[in-house]
Amino acid sequence: MDKKTWIFISVALLVAVLLAMLISPFASSSPDGLEKVAEDKGFLEKAEEQEPTWKHSPIPDYAVGGIENESLATALAGVIGTVLTFAVGLGLAKLIVRKVNHNKT
Amino acid sequence: MHIPDGLVSGPINAAAFVVSAATCGLAVVRANKTLGERQIPLLGVTAAFIFAAQMLNFPIAGGTSGHFLGALLACVLLGPLNAFLVMALVLAIQCLGFADGGLTALGTNIFNMGIIGGIVSYGLFQILKSVLPKTRGGFLAAVAVAAWFSVVLASAVCALELHFSGTSPLKIALPAMTAVHVLIGLGEAIITTVVISVVLASRPDLVATWSPSQSKPETSQEA
C-alpha cells in the first residue's frame, strides 16, 4: 500500500474518531424519525413491551456503563465503536480478499 | 430508522433476513474477485466514518431528530456491493454492541438501509449521472439527489413493512415516515455531497464511481 493512501486513510479515521468523541455528546437526544412516528401514531409501546432478543450489548444506547458523566460515557462509546468498526471492517476486507490469493496459487 | 424488536412481523423479518444474507454472500464473492488493494482500508474507514456520523443526531422540526445514513456515500466511494458490506457491518455492530436496532429486525434493517438505501438508490445515482453533465458539478448533483432519495425511499419501505406487519396502516405510516425523512434526507444530501467533494478534491482515484474523463471536462465535455 502506498504511503499517500495510508495518510489519507489515517486522516479520515482521525476525523471519524474526533466526530465520535467531540460531537456525539452534543447530538440531539430527540427521538429519530421512526421513533417519533411510532410515538405519535401510538405503536411505540408495541416495541417497548417486547423484551429485547439480544441482551448482551456491552455498550447499550451508546453510553459506556459505570461512568457518571454522560458526555464522557457517550464520547467513549463513540471512540470505541468507531475504532472497532474500522478494525473489523479492515479485518473482514483483508480476509475476503486473501481467499483470492489462495485460489490463484 | 433502526427498527427495534416487536414492530415488524416474524415472516417479514425472516424474508428480509434471507434477502440480506443472500446479498451478503454475493457481495463477499464479488469483493473476493474485485476489491482493490486500496479499497481494503477504504472499506474499513468508510464503515468507521458511517458509524461515527450515525451517532450525530441533528434536530429537525417538531422535536424530532435525524441522523446520517451513509449508504449512498459508501456506494459512490466503493460501489454498491462493497457498500452493502459496509452497511451490514455497521448495522450488525450497532445491534450487537450498542443495542441499536433489534436483533430480530437486523435483516430488515440491513435490507432497508443496505439494499433500498444503498443498492437501489445507487441505481438512481447511475441514471442521474448518465443524464447530467459529465462534470464534477453534474456528478455531485447526482450524489446529492440520490442521497436525499435514499433516505426517503428507505423510510417508505419501512412504512410498508410496518403496514404488512399490522403495526400501523399504510395510510398513516407512509405519509408520517416520508414527511419526516424528506427533511432528514436534506441532511443526508448535504453530508454526502460535502464528503464526496472533499475526497474528489484530495483523492479522486479513491472514488470508485468517478471516471477520470469527468475530471477533465474541458476535453470530454462534448463527448
Side-chain angles (χ1 to χ4, degrees):
Chain A
M1 180 72 52
D2 57 305
K3 204 175 153 199
K4 262 177 72 185
T5 302
W6 273 118
I7 293 171
F8 176 87
I9 298 294
S10 307
V11 171
L13 182 62
L14 185 67
V15 169
V17 169
L18 289 177
L19 284 175
M21 183 164 76
L22 303 177
I23 315 290
S24 70
F26 303 101
S28 168
S29 52
S30 299
D32 77 355
L34 172 62
E35 243 180 301
K36 178 70 175 172
V37 170
E39 207 177 282
D40 289 351
K41 306 301 175 193
F43 60 86
L44 190 62
E45 52 281 20
K46 220 183 147 184
E48 281 170 345
E49 67 201 18
Q50 168 95 29
E51 270 283 291
T53 38
W54 172 254
K55 304 180 191 70
H56 309 292
S57 295
I59 310 178
D61 302 316
Y62 302 92
V64 175
I67 296 176
E68 279 194 28
N69 185 321
E70 270 181 44
S71 299
L72 187 64
T74 304
L76 204 56
V79 173
I80 293 170
T82 305
V83 173
L84 178 78
T85 306
F86 176 71
V88 176
L90 185 69
L92 280 179
K94 280 190 168 170
L95 211 67
I96 288 169
V97 172
R98 195 193 297 172
K99 282 195 298 186
V100 129
N101 300 334
H102 278 280
N103 293 345
K104 274 181 185 165
T105 49
Chain B
M1 210 186 300
H2 293 54
I3 301 169
D5 291 314
L7 289 190
V8 171
S9 70
I12 292 178
N13 276 334
F17 181 86
V18 169
V19 174
S20 294
T23 309
C24 207
L26 179 71
V28 166
V29 169
R30 182 69 192 272
N32 181 308
K33 296 196 184 90
T34 61
L35 196 69
E37 197 200 354
R38 287 170 171 177
Q39 287 184 307
I40 295 171
L42 184 63
L43 192 149
V45 86
T46 304
F49 179 83
I50 290 172
F51 178 91
Q54 286 205 359
M55 282 184 74
L56 312 179
N57 285 60
F58 47 85
I60 59 165
T64 311
S65 75
H67 66 68
F68 183 57
L69 177 58
L72 195 90
L73 172 76
C75 285
V76 173
L77 285 176
L78 292 157
L81 284 176
N82 295 329
F84 175 83
L85 291 176
V86 167
M87 295 311 291
L89 171 67
V90 170
L91 288 160
I93 288 179
Q94 289 171 329
C95 170
L96 297 175
F98 300 85
D100 192 9
L103 183 59
T104 55
L106 181 59
T108 309
N109 282 323
I110 294 175
F111 179 82
N112 292 351
M113 292 182 254
I115 295 182
I116 303 298
I119 296 170
V120 172
S121 304
Y122 175 79
L124 175 77
F125 167 70
Q126 282 296 337
I127 293 169
L128 290 169
K129 199 176 110 169
S130 67
V131 297
L132 285 165
K134 305 279 178 285
T135 61
R136 198 169 169 278
F139 185 84
L140 289 175
V143 167
V145 174
W148 175 82
F149 177 82
S150 71
V151 170
V152 177
L153 189 66
S155 78
V157 170
C158 181
L160 275 172
E161 290 153 359
L162 294 171
H163 171 77
F164 287 113
S165 301
T167 297
S168 182
L170 198 61
K171 64 175 195 289
I172 289 175
L174 186 65
M177 281 297 281
T178 48
V180 177
H181 288 89
V182 156
L183 295 174
I184 297 175
L186 296 178
E188 186 77 17
I190 293 168
I191 297 168
T192 308
T193 311
V194 167
V195 173
I196 294 294
S197 306
V198 170
V199 182
L200 274 185
S202 51
R203 287 299 301 273
D205 57 308
L206 293 181
V207 182
T209 53
W210 171 260
S211 42
S213 66
Q214 285 173 307
S215 61
K216 303 184 205 83
E218 65 276 9
T219 56
S220 63
Q221 210 157 32
E222 304 304 314

